[in-house]
Each structure stands twice: as structure tokens, then as C-alpha cells.
Amino acid sequence: MHNDIAEVLFTEDEIARRVDEIGAQITRDYAEATDEGIVLVSVLRGAAIFMADLARRIELPVEMDYMAVSSYGDGAKSSGVVRILKDLASEIEGRHVVVAEDILDSGLTLKYLLKNLASRHPASLEVATLLRKKTLAQAKIECKYIGFECPDRFIVGYGLDYAERYRNLPYIGVLKPEMY
Ligand code: 5GP
Ligand code: MG
Ligand code: MG
């Protein structure tokens, strides 16, 4: 275990098994869409690793597209400001869209994003989030696919960073508070 990690929450194996299950669930749920498939939208950069693994567990045509929004900056606290830094490359009108998120905390980022994507009239719009924090103040968001519920602590690994570090840890863990 990395020295800066206080506790491992989900091991590499646990993550792989859960991503497997979500992939199978998505494959079943969109079984009618075997021709057109789905568009997986990843919110950069935290969700990129989750989406890459998830895409390989979906047995349907999968298009991968990316958006970048400003949220936490480099720190551990939400700025409350959401801005699109990079938009999708493809049109999603009439497509089945699944947004892959790394972690749902306040839900503010995702709420804004979903409203924005819905205005482009996709055939359907769902969310797959790797993690959902147990917090009291969370925007009401319909999340069809949830990897794990996690404690309200600062989490890193498997795509999640602190100041751009720790994304490459193969597991999900809690960062030692003295690190930030
Ligand atoms: P929200 O808008 O739901 O509060 O959070 C937006 C983004 O902040 C998440 O998608 C994620 O990128 C980042 N974030 C929230 N909580 C954590 C956390 O515990 N660890 C890390 N590394 N990022 C987080
Ligand atoms: Mg995110
Ligand atoms: Mg971050």
C-alpha cells in the first residue's frame, strides 16, 4: 500500500468484479439497441479509467466520448463553479447515452451536466457512477448504475486524484488527511 493512503476501501479485485457486473447490467438493459449501441460519456479526468474498464465489459457497440468540466480544481473542496472546458466530439441527439462519473459528492457537477446533455435530446440518458458518497447534502440525481457507496472522506485511486496524483493507484483508498 502507498505510504500516503490511510485505508484501502476497495481492492483491485473488488473493483474489477463490480465493473464486470455493471457492464453485464448495461448489456442487458440495452439489449434492444444492438444495432446503434450506446454512447459512453466520460467526465474527464477522474472517470477515464472507470470508463475504459467499463467499456470493455459491455457487449454492445460502444462509442466513447469525453467531456471536461471544471469542478474541484486541484484541491479537496468544491468550488461550486461548473464550466465546460471540453465538449463532446459527437452529436448525441437520438442516441442512448450513459454518463460515466468517478464520484458523486454534492452532485452539483453532474446535475449541471445532465441538464446540459438532456437539452441535446438523446434517446435516453443514464448515469453510471463508480462511487457515491454518503453525504446529507446531495443533489437528487437518478443514478441507475452505482459501483459502491463510500464514506464521506477524501478518496483517491483508480482515476481519482489529489492535485493530479494517485490516479494510477489500482485500488480505491482514503488519503491521509495530513496529505492535504
Ligand atoms: P460534486 O460536484 O458531486 O461535489 O463532485 C464533483 C467532482 O469532484 C467529482 O466528480 C470528483 O471529480 C471530485 N470529487 C468529489 N469528491 C471527491 C473525493 O473524495 N476525491 C476525489 N479525488 N475527487 C472528488
Ligand atoms: Mg468527476
Ligand atoms: Mg480531481
Side-chain angles (χ1 to χ4, degrees):
M1 189 170 73
H2 195 289
N3 239 335
D4 304 348
I5 302 300
E7 187 190 331
V8 174
L9 294 178
F10 306 105
T11 65
E12 194 172 355
D13 278 357
E14 286 168 332
I15 298 168
R17 273 199 297 275
R18 192 70 192 108
V19 171
D20 239 16
E21 288 168 3
I22 295 173
Q25 205 181 339
I26 291 176
T27 302
R28 283 195 301 276
D29 289 352
Y30 294 87
E32 310 275 278
T34 43
D35 283 343
E36 72 270 35
I38 66 171
V39 185
L40 269 184
V41 171
S42 154
V43 185
L44 294 173
R45 292 174 252 183
I49 290 181
F50 171 49
M51 182 164 105
D53 283 347
L54 180 62
R56 284 174 282 183
R57 293 291 167 264
I58 298 172
E59 292 169 31
L60 294 166
V62 171
E63 225 176 277
M64 296 164 79
D65 208 338
Y66 305 88
M67 274 183 99
V69 296
S70 69
S71 52
Y72 272 36
D74 271 355
K77 232 174 120 255
S78 178
S79 66
V81 180
V82 181
R83 211 157 42 95
I84 292 184
L85 305 177
K86 184 215 172 294
D87 206 347
L88 297 176
S90 308
E91 303 285 332
I92 55 163
E93 187 173 347
R95 304 294 309 275
H96 294 292
V97 175
V98 177
V99 177
E101 249 293 27
D102 52 355
I103 187 164
L104 203 59
D105 185 4
S106 71
L108 291 177
T109 314
L110 198 55
K111 196 175 172 197
Y112 169 87
L113 206 68
L114 289 175
K115 203 173 139 201
N116 181 292
L117 293 173
S119 75
R120 308 180 197 192
H121 307 294
S124 65
L125 182 59
E126 299 292 351
V127 176
T129 188
L130 175 66
L131 297 160
R132 187 168 71 180
K133 270 192 191 173
K134 285 195 190 116
T135 53
L136 294 173
Q138 193 168 80
K140 285 258 176 305
I141 287 171
E142 295 283 320
C143 229
K144 191 160 185 187
Y145 311 101
I146 297 168
F148 304 100
E149 301 278 352
C150 69
D152 190 10
R153 296 166 74 185
F154 196 77
I155 285 161
V156 295
Y158 194 70
L160 288 117
D161 75 309
Y162 174 67
E164 297 309 321
R165 290 186 63 193
Y166 312 109
R167 291 193 199 278
N168 58 324
L169 296 180
Y171 52 83
I172 293 167
V174 177
L175 190 63
K176 286 182 181 165
E178 63 262 35
M179 297 314 300
Y180 58 87

